[in-house]
Amino acid sequence: AGSAAAVARLLELGADTEARANGGATPCLAASAGGHLQAYRLLEAAGACTDAAGPRGVRACDYAAQAERREGGASLPLPAFPPSGLPPAPPLAPAPPPGAAVGRLLEAGGASHPGAGSCTVDNALPPEALERLLALWRSLPVASKDKESPIERSYLFDSEGWLTGLLTAAAAAAGLRCVALPGVRFLHYPEPGGHLPPHVDLPRCTAGGAKSTHTFLLYLTGCGRGGETLLLEEREGDAALARMGGVAPGPRATLEAVRPREGRLLLMPHACPHAAAPTIDTPKLLVRGEVRVLA
């Protein structure tokens, strides 16, 4: 909803101005929350409802009013509206999480390992934010599977920025300055035995076209046994397959085993070889997405 030209073309083609993305945002809400006033005004002129509120309970017209004030050099506080059946959202610009505990990973491997700089942040989000994420997950549809997989996936687009703001603050606790991408996935392992083989992750593009650099995993539940994220040793041939998300075949040692823990955030470079150990205690639930670490 950020490109006015794209919005104009979609309106010409008869796009539904009231369609809601996963997470509850209409095009009008997404445009105004992102500060894209030209796109918002096109939607408004096409008859889109500007009173539509998103998960934060704030209306599209109120985001637009704040964006207009910002253009004039002033700031207008957002009014508080009753949320639609979800716990209240945390602030848009949160402070670093209190009590955050940072764990450094793969330090023994040195800077040459593709996963160098990986880390965990415990207590990364406040309890009320975790509660809200669980409520959002329960409200989202499970995506259909196009191949056999032990994982149930649900998709959320954080158009209002409350989750990405919290993730940015948690990463700052680990000394990382980054931008979190708004498109995230809930990954649910409902049955014992669910696992993923060794692989690397692929980057995604930010709204400005820059590529993400790191994967984040935010664990919403703990696992007493099993379900660890395994950071693996590098093997010859990995680099040639990384662009396809693959790794060279053959056994490899586990260098770090990150246990799922409620509120734990794992950040690792996309190129870090990793796997998901088989679950024993279920369910295992996490949010997965991408960030771009800035220099």
Side-chain angles (χ1 to χ4, degrees), residues 11 36 43 48 50 66 137 145 158 199 201 246 252-253 268 279 285:
L11 289 172
H36 306 297
L43 290 161
T50 61
Q66 186 184 53
W137 168 66
K145 297 181 182 180
D158 181 29
H199 63 285
D201 294 331
R252 58 182 74 210
M268 58 183 169
T279 53
L285 178 64

Side-chain angles (χ1 to χ4, degrees), residues 47 49 62 156 181 204 245 277:
C49 176
D62 296 302
L156 171 69
L181 276 63
R204 299 199 175 197

Side-chain angles (χ1 to χ4, degrees), residues 144-244:
S144 58
K145 297 181 182 180
D146 55 8
K147 61 181 178 180
E148 188 65 27
S149 171
I151 305 172
E152 295 179 350
R153 290 174 168 83
S154 301
Y155 294 86
L156 171 69
F157 189 83
D158 181 29
S159 60
E160 296 179 277
W162 73 270
L163 177 57
T164 55
L166 287 166
L167 292 168
T168 299
L176 296 176
R177 192 168 65 93
C178 68
V179 174
L181 276 63
V184 302
R185 287 80 77 200
F186 289 86
L187 306 184
H188 177 219
Y189 294 74
E191 303 293 339
H195 68 284
L196 289 176
H199 63 285
V200 297
D201 294 331
L202 298 176
R204 299 199 175 197
C205 288
T206 67
K211 288 185 176 181
S212 61
T213 60
H214 287 58
T215 297
F216 77 79
L217 304 180
L218 174 64
Y219 302 101
L220 300 183
T221 62
C223 291
R225 297 174 299 162
E228 298 91 349
T229 301
L230 308 177
L231 308 190
L232 307 171
E233 69 174 337
E234 183 183 18
R235 285 181 63 92
E236 185 177 354
D238 281 353
L241 298 172
R243 290 186 179 181
M244 298 177 288

